[in-house]
Amino acid sequence: MSTSVPGRYFDGQSATPHIVRVEFTRLGVRIDASDGRILSRWGLTDIRVLEDPDEGRPAVYTLDSDPQTRLQVEDIAFHRNLIQYAPLSAPGRARLSLSLPALAGWAAAAAVVIAVVAWTFPKLSGPVAHIIPDGWRQDIGAKVVDMMGSGRKDCRQAEGLAALDALTQRLQAVSPEPDEPLRVRVFSGGPVNAFAAPGGEVVIFEDLITRADDPDEVAGVLAHEIGHAVHRHPTEGVVNAIGLSLLVQFMFGGLQSDAITGAAAQMYTSGYGRDAEREADQTGAEMLRRAGISPRGMVTFFERIRDSYGDSDSMINRYLGSHPSLTERIDSLSEQAEMTGRPALGDVEWEALRGICNPDPANESEG
């Protein structure tokens, strides 16, 4: 079954609409330019309905993974087909609008996926993490950060925040994925730790900053966490923690908050595996090198943690993902640590970052 109807397509790059033909099948939606070129293909599980058609007003659709795009279609039959066969197109509507053939098709697909995943799931968590739409990853990340930051202050002293933003931008500019959304925040208190959550969320605890010897150590930890983010290790960790239930919810709409927060707690206390830690270390060190910052700060931070808490799998080391051991990680970075560079932050910026959780003088003067 296929249906071709006229439409207007906004690609998110320009305010000028493309006059298009929209081809609909049960596999997806294809958007063709007037000269026959394919402008875009939309997967059914990624489509969201923004507006229903109503008395001369077209239906408006977007993508969960690219919310800047818009597709306008006036054809009522097209809209009915879409909400019938795209089960995630409109939360709440999907369960009511699925026809028996469509429901049977999705149930059969789910059964096949579950049967395969039951045998191969540990190997699939990485690929699954890379196909989850950006909007979903960001929603998961927000839930993780909300849980981990419960009862803590989100530190935003103006000068400290400006210094953090400058360091983040310096590292993101040389990231393997420079266009990947990234949001770095500081929470008050301890432990001496930082973590990355899905959707480009990175959190540094205040104690890590105040106990660091210099800004290069903070830059080293931040680069390591960005390394986790660009490789989507946090999303992979959530997928591993939730298991099959995530796939089922992903296919049929909606992620339960309790499942997400439970997965976050498990991921936070257990850390990542050996390969993920090595990958984040090497990616972080390469980012530092390209940004002109010596990776020595990453090494000295690991050395001080090892000297203070030991190299065993203690709770503090688990926070730092000590699989492999800190000694092994230090040794693997030793050659890169010989590189010199300019400081991650100037003296004034470094002092400002160390005070990011202090009261903001500007706000106090207004009060």
Side-chain angles (χ1 to χ4, degrees):
M1 176 201 70
S2 65
T3 305
S4 177
V5 299
R8 288 158 55 90
Y9 172 58
F10 297 81
D11 59 13
Q13 306 299 316
S14 169
T16 303
H18 300 273
I19 306 303
V20 296
R21 298 292 300 180
V22 185
E23 184 80 13
F24 173 77
T25 72
R26 294 185 186 183
L27 297 179
V29 171
R30 193 182 76 194
I31 303 172
D32 295 339
S34 56
D35 60 5
R37 291 179 297 111
I38 298 175
L39 293 179
S40 185
R41 295 180 186 270
W42 288 17
L44 293 179
T45 59
D46 200 17
I47 298 173
R48 297 294 182 270
V49 177
L50 293 181
E51 296 181 22
D52 291 313
D54 182 28
E55 295 184 356
R57 187 179 65 192
V60 181
Y61 312 100
T62 189
L63 290 177
D64 193 47
S65 62
D66 189 3
Q68 301 303 314
T69 59
R70 294 289 187 274
L71 176 63
Q72 298 178 348
V73 177
E74 295 184 2
D75 191 275
I76 301 297
F78 176 91
H79 183 72
R80 289 173 179 167
N81 280 331
L82 181 65
I83 64 173
Q84 181 179 13
Y85 290 103
L88 302 184
S89 61
R93 173 193 290 133
R95 287 181 288 275
L96 299 176
S97 64
L98 283 174
S99 66
L100 288 177
L103 183 59
W106 279 92
V112 171
V113 170
I114 291 171
V116 172
V117 170
W119 290 95
T120 62
F121 188 78
K123 296 181 180 180
L124 289 178
S125 57
V128 169
H130 283 268
I131 65 171
I132 292 178
D134 289 345
W136 284 57
R137 291 194 301 116
Q138 290 162 8
D139 184 53
I140 294 171
K143 288 181 172 65
V144 170
V145 171
D146 285 347
M147 184 198 73
M148 301 310 301
S150 178
R152 297 176 182 271
K153 177 183 176 182
D154 187 354
C155 302
R156 300 187 61 81
Q157 197 272 343
E159 288 81 3
L161 190 61
L164 178 64
D165 288 344
L167 178 57
T168 301
Q169 291 171 19
R170 186 174 171 185
L171 291 172
Q172 189 171 21
V174 296
S175 164
E177 299 287 344
D179 296 328
E180 176 80 2
L182 185 65
R183 183 185 186 196
V184 181
R185 299 159 70 177
V186 176
F187 284 165
S188 61
V192 180
N193 187 27
F195 70 90
E201 296 274 0
V202 175
V203 169
I204 303 174
F205 289 98
E206 178 188 16
D207 285 2
L208 186 149
I209 297 173
T210 58
R211 296 186 188 182
D213 279 349
D214 55 50
D216 286 6
E217 291 192 349
V218 176
V221 174
L222 178 56
H224 172 85
E225 297 303 334
I226 295 175
H228 278 309
V230 299
H231 292 296
R232 300 200 178 179
H233 294 154
T235 306
E236 184 176 345
V238 171
V239 171
N240 273 326
I242 296 178
L244 292 177
S245 65
L246 176 62
L247 288 186
V248 174
Q249 291 178 65
F250 176 59
M251 292 178 67
F252 290 101
L255 289 171
Q256 299 300 316
S257 294
D258 55 350
I260 295 300
T261 53
Q266 178 178 333
M267 180 180 66
Y268 179 71
T269 57
S270 63
Y272 300 102
R274 290 176 179 270
D275 290 342
E277 290 300 337
R278 291 190 185 102
E279 192 170 36
D281 282 347
Q282 294 302 320
T283 298
E286 175 64 15
M287 288 169 56
L288 292 168
R289 186 189 67 78
R290 294 178 62 189
I293 302 170
S294 172
R296 181 63 187 166
M298 182 186 292
V299 174
T300 58
F301 181 79
F302 287 161
E303 288 174 338
R304 290 198 301 107
I305 293 299
R306 181 189 59 185
D307 294 343
S308 297
Y309 299 99
D311 204 28
S312 63
D313 192 22
S314 64
M315 181 57 72
I316 185 66
N317 282 340
R318 291 176 70 191
Y319 283 149
L320 289 166
S322 59
H323 309 289
S325 69
L326 288 173
T327 295
E328 182 180 340
R329 295 169 67 182
I330 290 166
D331 290 344
S332 70
L333 293 168
S334 59
E335 183 175 341
Q336 296 189 63
E338 297 302 318
M339 190 203 86
T340 59
R342 60 190 177 92
L345 293 172
D347 292 342
V348 174
E349 291 177 311
W350 173 227
E351 286 305 312
L353 180 58
R354 289 172 63 84
I356 192 172
C357 290
N358 295 339
D360 195 322
N363 292 337
E364 284 192 334
S365 63
E366 290 175 3

